[in-house]
Amino acid sequence: DAMVIQNPRYQVTQFGKPVTLSCSQTLNHNVMYWYQQKSSQAPKLLFHYYDKDFNNEADTPDNFQSRRPNTSFCFLDIRSPGLGDAAMYLCATSRDWEYQETQYFGPGTRLLVL
Amino acid sequence: DAKTTQPPSMDCAEGRAANLPCNHSTISGNEYVYWYRQIHSQGPQYIIHGLKNNETNEMASLIITEDRKSSTLILPHATLRDTAVYYCIVRVAGANNLFFGTGTRLTVIP
């Protein structure tokens, strides 16, 4: 089945130690998104790629970066994780950048910062 | 962005219809109403969307008032697997951003 895959499902890192989360998709969608969801809160968009074009949300901290080496894969890099970065990180895709396009979400990676 | 208001929580008996309301009184004429849900520890899942007509699919029905200032998501026969947080989202025209509100936590009771 076509899907959005996130690995690992759980990631533990140390305070200040860089960490990378990965997302892959078999939907061949043009747009890939990263959301952050803290405990008991709604998901919040960090940034998205439309093909190779990167679009950062205005309030996304500089500590968060992203890479999309090809259509199928997208990575979220946290350069120096702080305790406040502990959250669920959700990857999503959509076929295109039309506002009625459905977004398909992966299961998420839960990040714990020690 | 048009803001949405939803009750924080609701209960529904298994097998009964679950009616989840959403207020979006500042919605613009070209903005769609979307519903997603998030089951515990999973990613959000698309349910349904509409502009001004009522919509139905295999998961749910969406009823939008004539003035478009509110809508109701209907799960016709709720099951325990429908226990989740349900998000009503108004899509910003010309962009594909999803701005999630606080959502309604629906608990289906046996």
Side-chain angles (χ1 to χ4, degrees):
Chain A
D1 287 342
M3 59 175 51
V4 181
I5 302 158
Q6 290 188 248
N7 286 309
R9 293 295 309 276
Y10 298 90
Q11 176 75 53
V12 181
T13 190
Q14 292 178 336
F15 182 93
K17 184 175 180 181
V19 65
T20 295
L21 309 181
S22 70
C23 175
S24 64
Q25 53 129 342
T26 60
L27 298 159
N28 202 33
H29 282 175
N30 288 320
V31 192
M32 295 187 76
Y33 311 78
W34 280 102
Y35 289 82
Q36 179 192 61
Q37 185 175 26
K38 295 187 177 181
S39 181
S40 300
Q41 296 184 20
K44 180 176 178 296
L45 182 65
L46 294 173
F47 28 58
H48 75 272
Y49 271 95
Y50 180 72
D51 196 10
K52 295 182 180 180
D53 293 332
F54 177 71
N55 297 272
N56 202 28
E57 292 299 301
D59 56 355
T60 298
D62 293 338
N63 198 26
F64 292 86
Q65 306 282 321
S66 186
R67 296 171 284 133
R68 189 178 186 187
N70 54 52
T71 300
S72 300
F73 285 87
C74 194
F75 300 99
L76 170 63
D77 301 309
I78 309 177
R79 291 191 298 188
S80 181
L83 298 179
D85 296 327
M88 173 81 87
Y89 290 89
L90 296 160
C91 175
T93 73
S94 67
R95 186 177 54 181
D96 214 321
W97 185 247
E98 297 297 325
Y99 68 92
Q100 61 267 43
E101 288 283 348
T102 299
Q103 290 190 19
Y104 297 86
F105 285 81
T109 294
R110 187 168 296 280
L111 178 69
L112 180 62
V113 181
L114 301 179
Chain B
D1 311 345
K3 183 182 163 86
T4 62
T5 304
Q6 298 177 254
S9 64
M10 292 181 64
D11 292 340
C12 177
E14 188 178 16
R16 306 296 287 268
N19 297 284
L20 293 97
C22 180
N23 183 290
H24 33 79
S25 58
T26 60
I27 193 169
S28 299
N30 60 350
E31 290 181 314
Y32 284 70
V33 179
Y34 275 73
W35 284 83
Y36 280 74
R37 73 179 182 184
Q38 188 172 23
I39 295 169
H40 182 63
S41 295
Q42 297 184 22
Q45 176 191 23
Y46 166 79
I47 302 173
I48 199 167
H49 75 278
L51 183 62
K52 52 185 177 182
N53 297 323
N54 297 338
E55 302 288 344
T56 296
N57 63 21
E58 64 278 3
M59 289 182 69
S61 294
L62 174 60
I63 309 297
I64 303 174
T65 58
E66 192 167 342
D67 63 7
R68 303 212 322 128
K69 292 185 177 181
S70 65
S71 61
T72 301
L73 178 74
I74 301 172
L75 308 179
H77 305 287
T79 71
L80 298 179
R81 287 188 297 244
D82 293 322
T83 293
V85 177
Y86 287 76
Y87 294 101
C88 170
I89 301 164
V90 172
R91 298 290 283 272
V92 176
N96 206 13
N97 296 15
L98 281 179
F99 292 99
F100 289 84
T102 53
T104 296
R105 182 174 298 279
L106 174 70
T107 303
V108 180
I109 301 168

